[in-house]
Amino acid sequence: MTMVSGKVTLLSAGPGDLDLLTIRAAKALERADVLLLDDLANAQLATLAPNARVIRVGKRGGCKSTPQAFIQRLMRRYAAKGLHVVRAKGGEALLFGRAGEEIADLRRAGIEVEIVNGISSGFAAAAGLGVSLTHREHCQGVTFVTAHLQDDSEPDWAALAATRTTLAIYMGMSRIAHVCARLAETLAPSTPAAVVQWAGSASERRLLSRLGSLADDVAAAGFGSPAVILIGDAIGAAEGFALDASSASAQDDANAAPRRPLDGYAYAA
Amino acid sequence: MTMVSGKVTLLSAGPGDLDLLTIRAAKALERADVLLLDDLANAQLATLAPNARVIRVGKRGGCKSTPQAFIQRLMRRYAAKGLHVVRAKGGEALLFGRAGEEIADLRRAGIEVEIVNGISSGFAAAAGLGVSLTHREHCQGVTFVTAHLQDDSEPDWAALAATRTTLAIYMGMSRIAHVCARLAETLAPSTPAAVVQWAGSASERRLLSRLGSLADDVAAAGFGSPAVILIGDAIGAAEGFALDASSASAQDDANAAPRRPLDGYAYAA
């Protein structure tokens, strides 16, 4: 196989704020000849790639999505010219980013692929809530899962719930009522839950609730995509969780602080 | 509650190489008055914290581990003096880092806690192998789990295997034969598997195998802690996987490339 002299960097652009990029990512952007900007990546990334031709391959703003095959062809074409192509993806490229297909395609074409890790929105969401995803008093791990499967089927929610790991659910907002109902067949409705929209960006919004009331609270507070849904006892350690009005246990707790709004938090009525 | 004027930053130091720090982490280190260096964090972090008093709280080198309660007392003490304490933890602080206990303790003491995300070794391991953790042709997600539980019990391996997510197992090397045997009660022995030691650092070593032979291969190649164990069909997309001698399917594949060593990879005999 002939190796081409260009290369492709699959770059994890993190959840939004530019200072959540890794130093390695910033260096790769500096050296980029071509920057392919994904729909969920911060457009300001282009300011870190002064020498790059910037191509938006996103679908923000109601425009039609750039077909995956076209994006892959772009990467091959520019790399074949000997250029350094940086393909920037929101969050962590190795989590729900179709990186698997792109890596396979580039390898078949004899193109060198470099992968630069980044911060996935699930971790940024936990940081915003001030919780560990794996508080050892509550769970043994965390599962990242997408509610949106390739074949329009759905994950095995009963099997996922049975692990008793914290669940970080991506791309689940459009079917949150259904997802919560399925999980509630295994988990208690009182299980702590949260939604963090635009985690790790200046627009971050957080909502604390419980599994049984999460979908209603999300609708009432007007939360939408992109957002991460977090479910599990570890989420109960979030700052302000006991103040949540939908929490029966908080209402029963005579020592609970009076309810007050916390910066960036939404509380359902 | 009286708020103190100092604060604590729980800083995710990433898997090793300093350029896998986020820009935000580098900025926090620059401003640190006190730097508490965890055992798995790169000691070179101190070079990024020129104004900080550096305190090692690790257990590398056969020394006794610094008790958790003592570390928490140190953080409270320096923050109460109005200092900015940076507590650097290897990998991502919100994954298996006892951050939950530390956040709770600091909040009780009225100390502001800032959390800075980072790259967990499971993601660095996947980058080293050149695989997505969630290749959508193979799985719907990834589960990060520790083999080492607080009460010396063990995770529910059958439940974890039943999710069909990629499994990223931390702190599992000392009991890898047992873990693989338990998982093989649910998963096929031919399930692709890998171990990455010192993922994301200059010393990174990778081993490709399958669930049924992983423990033997790890022993033969002399892999030890710290390492991440990755198990699932998505791992079969790793570069060089088809070259793995323990892979029956590779041996059956007439088109398989001749076996050759790949930089940084170990192959069991």
Side-chain angles (χ1 to χ4, degrees):
Chain A
M1 193 193 302
T2 313
M3 290 298 287
V4 304
S5 59
K7 74 167 180 175
V8 173
T9 299
L10 294 183
L11 185 140
S12 308
D17 280 359
L18 293 184
D19 70 354
L20 284 175
L21 283 173
T22 63
I23 296 167
R24 184 177 295 179
K27 288 179 181 170
L29 286 165
E30 235 175 66
R31 293 189 304 262
D33 298 313
V34 179
L35 172 60
L36 300 185
L37 261 183
D38 208 48
D39 56 339
L40 284 176
N42 184 342
Q44 296 300 313
L45 286 169
T47 63
L48 301 178
N51 307 313
R53 172 171 178 184
V54 179
I55 304 172
R56 299 294 302 264
V57 292
K59 50 190 165 186
R60 189 73 49 76
C63 303
K64 202 164 172 304
S65 168
T66 311
Q68 182 67 25
F70 178 73
I71 297 172
Q72 292 177 191
R73 202 156 59 234
L74 275 182
M75 291 194 283
R76 292 196 306 269
R77 192 176 86 190
Y78 285 112
K81 288 182 178 175
L83 298 176
H84 180 198
V85 181
V86 171
R87 162 86 161 116
K89 292 165 172 289
E92 160 64 59
L94 302 183
L95 199 60
F96 311 131
R98 302 189 69 166
E101 292 153 83
E102 296 181 8
I103 294 166
D105 181 71
L106 294 165
R107 279 200 199 126
R108 272 193 301 269
I111 296 168
E112 183 191 346
V113 185
E114 177 194 36
I115 298 166
V116 178
N117 293 125
I119 308 301
S120 186
S121 56
F123 290 101
L129 294 168
V131 291
S132 167
L133 286 169
T134 60
H135 194 306
R136 65 190 207 141
E137 285 168 18
H138 300 297
C139 63
Q140 59 197 221
V142 57
T143 299
F144 293 81
V145 66
T146 172
H148 183 80
L149 298 188
Q150 184 172 14
D151 55 2
D152 281 329
S153 66
E154 63 179 327
D156 184 342
W157 297 113
L160 292 165
T163 63
R164 304 289 163 174
T165 58
T166 305
L167 299 179
I169 303 167
Y170 286 52
M171 288 163 275
M173 291 299 277
S174 65
R175 57 194 85 180
I176 188 168
H178 173 76
V179 169
C180 290
R182 294 299 313 276
L183 289 172
E185 292 168 11
T186 306
L187 300 174
S190 62
T191 304
V195 163
V196 183
Q197 186 173 15
W198 293 111
S201 81
S203 316
E204 179 172 302
R205 293 173 74 204
R206 303 178 284 267
L207 183 145
L208 298 169
S209 183
R210 292 179 185 266
L211 179 58
S213 44
L214 181 65
D216 286 345
D217 289 354
V218 157
F223 275 58
S225 299
V228 180
I229 305 167
L230 295 170
I231 293 167
D233 289 334
I235 307 305
E239 189 157 21
F241 187 79
L243 308 178
D244 179 3
S246 67
S247 154
S249 66
Q251 289 173 334
D252 292 341
D253 182 355
N255 296 320
R259 189 175 165 213
R260 57 181 170 80
L262 289 178
D263 186 39
Y265 281 88
Y267 293 95
Chain B
M1 192 191 307
T2 313
M3 290 298 285
V4 305
S5 60
K7 74 168 181 175
V8 173
T9 298
L10 294 183
L11 185 140
S12 308
D17 280 359
L18 292 185
D19 69 354
L20 284 175
L21 283 173
T22 64
I23 295 167
R24 185 176 295 177
K27 288 179 181 170
L29 286 164
E30 235 175 65
R31 293 189 304 262
D33 298 313
V34 179
L35 172 59
L36 299 185
L37 262 182
D38 208 48
D39 55 338
L40 284 176
N42 185 341
Q44 295 300 313
L45 286 169
T47 63
L48 302 178
N51 307 313
R53 173 172 176 183
V54 179
I55 303 171
R56 299 295 301 265
V57 292
K59 49 191 165 186
R60 188 74 49 75
C63 304
K64 201 162 173 303
S65 168
T66 311
Q68 182 69 24
F70 179 72
I71 296 172
Q72 292 177 191
R73 202 156 58 234
L74 276 181
M75 290 194 284
R76 291 196 307 267
R77 192 176 85 190
Y78 286 112
K81 290 182 177 173
L83 299 175
H84 179 198
V85 181
V86 172
R87 162 87 161 114
K89 292 165 172 290
E92 160 64 59
L94 301 182
L95 199 61
F96 310 131
R98 301 190 69 168
E101 291 152 84
E102 296 181 8
I103 294 167
D105 180 71
L106 294 164
R107 278 199 201 130
R108 272 192 302 269
I111 296 167
E112 183 191 343
V113 185
E114 177 194 37
I115 298 167
V116 178
N117 292 124
I119 309 299
S120 186
S121 56
F123 291 101
L129 294 168
V131 292
S132 168
L133 286 168
T134 59
H135 194 305
R136 64 190 206 142
E137 285 168 18
H138 299 297
C139 63
Q140 58 197 221
V142 56
T143 300
F144 293 81
V145 66
T146 173
H148 183 79
L149 299 189
Q150 184 173 14
D151 56 1
D152 281 330
S153 67
E154 63 179 328
D156 184 343
W157 297 113
L160 292 165
T163 63
R164 305 287 164 175
T165 59
T166 305
L167 299 179
I169 303 167
Y170 287 51
M171 289 163 273
M173 292 299 277
S174 65
R175 58 193 85 181
I176 189 169
H178 173 75
V179 169
C180 291
R182 292 299 313 277
L183 289 173
E185 291 168 12
T186 305
L187 300 174
S190 62
T191 304
V195 163
V196 183
Q197 186 173 14
W198 292 111
S201 81
S203 316
E204 178 172 302
R205 294 174 74 204
R206 301 177 285 266
L207 183 144
L208 297 170
S209 183
R210 291 178 186 266
L211 179 59
S213 44
L214 182 65
D216 286 345
D217 288 355
V218 157
F223 275 59
S225 300
V228 180
I229 304 167
L230 294 171
I231 292 167
D233 288 334
I235 307 306
E239 189 156 22
F241 187 80
L243 308 177
D244 178 4
S246 67
S247 153
S249 67
Q251 290 173 337
D252 293 341
D253 183 354
N255 297 319
R259 189 173 166 215
R260 57 180 170 80
L262 289 179
D263 186 37
Y265 280 87
Y267 293 95

